[in-house]
Amino acid sequence: MDLNAVYKKTQKGLEEMAQRTVLGMRERTLLVMVDGKTTAADLLARAQHMPDPQGLLQKLIDGGFIASDAPAAPAAAPLPAPAAAPAAPAAPAAPTASVAAAPPRTIQEVMRYAQRFLYDNLGPDGDSMSEAIERCKTLPELKARLEKTRDALQDIGKKRKADEFWSGVELRLPPA
């Protein structure tokens, strides 16, 4: 595994994100972190709280859920690339509009924070809450789910953790 490589989700990875049929919570959490911009070294640093992050990343690579962007870049010639480039930005623009005017990166950042917090503080007991967060498609839906998660933490006697969770969420949520 090249630590300087930038990985992106493959079609198989995108399908797993939508259907949640193959991977466990740890692998799926790491898969959520893969954004096509972050190097493998940075992904491993972000996943240091997980057991064997390098093994988890290798599992995603070997399973075909993610692939390095490196081979595709040299294949494109410098002159034809600008002609193909306008089509690519058009695709991300549509999801941004459907996410209640918040960039997908912001929603992903909040989701990653919440899932990491739940994993760190509840372990496997937080799987169902983490999966519910992962299913959110819009910012209002995500915020409502995060509020329910905060309330659930309070209900199980973790008021201080619920407050810590909500403080971290508020720091990452875009202004209303």
Side-chain angles (χ1 to χ4, degrees):
M1 164 187 342
D2 179 10
L3 295 179
N4 293 322
V6 174
Y7 290 92
K8 65 179 181 177
K9 294 175 189 82
T10 62
Q11 184 61 35
K12 183 176 180 180
L14 294 171
E15 289 170 6
E16 176 61 20
M17 292 286 295
Q19 298 171 356
R20 297 170 197 80
T21 56
V22 178
L23 298 177
M25 186 192 124
R26 291 182 181 120
E27 292 91 354
R28 195 171 41 253
T29 300
L30 188 57
L31 182 60
V32 168
M33 293 183 201
V34 175
D35 60 5
K37 300 174 188 171
T38 308
T39 65
D42 289 337
L43 286 171
L44 292 174
R46 289 181 187 172
Q48 67 185 355
H49 65 282
M50 297 178 178
D52 190 23
Q54 192 162 0
L56 294 172
L57 187 60
Q58 192 63 52
K59 184 175 178 179
L60 293 177
I61 295 166
D62 294 345
F65 297 98
I66 62 172
S68 172
D69 228 1
L79 293 177
T96 301
S98 70
V99 184
R105 189 178 93 226
T106 302
I107 287 181
Q108 289 298 326
E109 180 183 338
V110 176
M111 286 179 164
R112 274 194 305 265
Y113 165 78
Q115 290 173 320
R116 191 172 327 133
F117 185 94
L118 291 170
Y119 178 78
D120 288 348
N121 290 282
L122 300 177
D125 293 336
D127 283 358
S128 61
M129 286 189 267
S130 184
E131 289 173 2
I133 289 168
E134 193 174 317
R135 285 191 295 269
C136 295
K137 302 287 186 224
T138 65
L139 187 58
E141 180 184 1
L142 176 61
K143 188 172 181 189
R145 174 53 55 191
L146 293 171
E147 288 171 350
K148 288 179 181 178
T149 302
R150 175 197 59 202
D151 296 344
L153 287 169
Q154 288 176 345
D155 290 346
I156 60 172
K158 298 191 178 278
K159 173 143 178 44
R160 202 176 291 172
K161 287 295 180 186
D163 292 341
E164 181 183 334
F165 172 77
W166 193 249
S167 293
V169 165
E170 285 182 321
L171 286 173
R172 289 163 177 81
L173 283 174

